[in-house]
Amino acid sequence: MARYQDAQGRWLLEKVVRDVVVVAVIGLLLSAFWPFRQVPTGSRGVLTQFGAIRGIENEGLAVVMPWQRLALFSIRAEQAQIDNADGSTSDQQPVKVSLTVRYSIITDRVAEVYEKYSHDGDLSSYVQTATQEVFKAVTAKYNAPDLIAKRSQVSTDINAALKQKLEVYGAQVINIDMRNFAFSPEYMAAINEKVTQEQLRLAAENKVKTVEAEQKQKVAVAEAEANALKAKADGEAYATIKAANAQADALRVQNEALAKSKEVLELRRIEVERVKAERWDGKLPEAIYAGTPIPFFTPAQKAD
């Protein structure tokens, strides 16, 4: 501090002002000619010298000479909004859509884009114009029903065509979102009516199919019941035939046995007489008619 005071302790303002000015000038010079710059993440540094591009600096530290300039150029994903883009189908139906296009600058074409189109990487105006043109060209290839039924294919076609368009400007498409896809109110009303009629037709067809299925089920049940009754009748008839055959066989065997043995016939007669005796109560009939048999009574025959 003694440097800025005299022998009596008074401040020497001239020296103070002079040193302050010197320090300020040195600071300004260092600031103006400081050679180190920083390129942030998601950017490139465009190094120019007297207006001409001398190089592209990557993210990180860059050395810039006093006679050069460093401009920051974004390579981050950007987006462009296209509201109510209009087109016309091959069958002359007007159609509108809103799109959001996300894009980014191709890193090895930064110098070209900086020189021809944008000093900061914003190409939204070019993207909007290119998207409008592409949408008109793609929708003209489809009729209105196909444009609705093949919406995913339409989106793919727009993406492919826009990719070619933006490559001219040194940009690449990341993705495209389509919103508010709509035709004229009259055409939308016609579509809704057609959809309603189709739903009614399908409902009627389903009802007919249901009735047919029910009828087939009833026929199947009736056939099953008829088959069951027939099977039962066949079984009963078969059983009857078998029983009759068995009885006939028994009678045939019995008759054959009777025909072959008189002793069997006599035995049967004795059995019959025994049954009669068991059943007789011991009383003789009060009236005897001619030819009426009396148990255990056999009148003697007169000899001729």
Side-chain angles (χ1 to χ4, degrees):
M1 298 296 294
R3 171 183 172 81
Y4 301 109
Q5 294 178 342
D6 57 12
Q8 287 77 28
R10 291 177 296 183
W11 288 93
L12 301 175
L13 295 178
E14 299 84 1
K15 289 185 177 182
V16 174
V17 172
R18 182 190 63 192
D19 289 351
V20 170
V21 170
V22 170
V23 171
V25 170
I26 293 173
L28 289 173
L29 291 174
L30 288 174
S31 177
F33 297 103
W34 183 255
F36 300 108
R37 298 286 190 276
Q38 182 182 4
V39 179
T41 302
S43 299
R44 292 292 184 270
V46 180
L47 190 64
T48 60
Q49 182 176 320
F50 305 116
I53 298 176
R54 292 305 180 194
I56 304 298
E57 299 292 336
N58 291 327
E59 301 161 345
L61 187 64
V63 179
V64 182
M65 295 296 102
W67 56 88
Q68 295 177 329
R69 287 189 57 197
L70 185 70
L72 296 180
F73 187 96
S74 175
I75 58 170
R76 291 178 178 273
E78 303 289 345
Q79 69 179 27
Q81 298 287 349
I82 302 92
D83 295 325
N84 295 324
D86 58 351
S88 181
T89 62
S90 60
D91 52 353
Q92 303 302 313
Q93 288 294 336
V95 59
K96 290 187 176 183
V97 71
S98 295
L99 303 101
T100 298
V101 180
R102 293 177 180 84
Y103 67 95
S104 63
I105 304 301
I106 302 173
T107 54
D108 58 359
R109 297 181 63 181
V110 169
E112 178 187 351
V113 176
Y114 181 88
E115 182 180 3
K116 294 181 179 180
Y117 307 114
S118 172
H119 283 185
D120 58 4
D122 183 8
L123 294 178
S124 58
S125 61
Y126 296 96
V127 174
Q128 289 171 349
T129 302
T131 304
Q132 286 275 7
E133 295 175 358
V134 166
F135 182 73
K136 289 179 182 292
V138 171
T139 53
K141 297 179 182 179
Y142 294 86
N143 59 34
D146 285 345
L147 201 63
I148 297 173
K150 301 178 180 179
R151 184 169 175 176
S152 60
Q153 182 61 45
V154 173
S155 178
T156 300
D157 292 349
I158 291 175
N159 198 318
L162 188 59
K163 180 180 179 181
Q164 294 181 351
K165 277 275 187 182
L166 293 189
E167 282 182 354
V168 175
Y169 304 111
Q172 58 188 356
V173 177
I174 299 174
N175 71 298
I176 301 174
D177 293 333
M178 291 198 304
R179 309 179 311 279
N180 304 326
F181 194 91
F183 292 90
S184 64
E186 294 78 10
Y187 188 74
M188 293 303 296
I191 291 176
N192 291 334
E193 179 64 22
K194 182 178 179 180
V195 171
T196 301
Q197 294 300 324
E198 181 66 14
Q199 291 175 343
L200 292 175
R201 183 185 67 81
L202 292 175
E205 289 181 355
N206 290 334
K207 186 174 182 180
V208 170
K209 290 179 180 178
T210 301
V211 172
E212 290 178 349
E214 291 176 351
Q215 293 299 324
K216 289 181 179 179
Q217 185 178 7
K218 290 180 180 179
V219 169
V221 171
E223 289 179 350
E225 291 177 351
N227 291 334
L229 291 175
K230 183 177 180 298
K232 182 179 180 181
D234 291 344
E236 292 176 352
Y238 180 78
T240 302
I241 292 172
K242 293 296 290 184
N245 289 338
Q247 187 175 4
D249 290 341
L251 291 174
R252 179 178 57 79
V253 171
Q254 185 176 6
N255 290 333
E256 289 177 353
L258 291 174
K260 291 179 180 179
S261 176
K262 294 182 178 181
E263 293 179 355
V264 173
L265 293 175
E266 183 63 20
L267 178 62
R268 286 298 180 93
R269 187 186 67 78
I270 295 172
E271 288 180 354
V272 170
E273 292 297 332
R274 181 177 61 79
V275 171
K276 289 180 179 179
E278 290 176 352
R279 293 181 178 177
W280 185 47
D281 56 2
K283 294 180 180 181
L284 293 175
E286 296 178 357
I288 299 175
Y289 299 96
T292 301
I294 299 174
F296 308 105
F297 177 74
T298 304
Q301 298 287 336
K302 291 182 178 183
D304 293 333

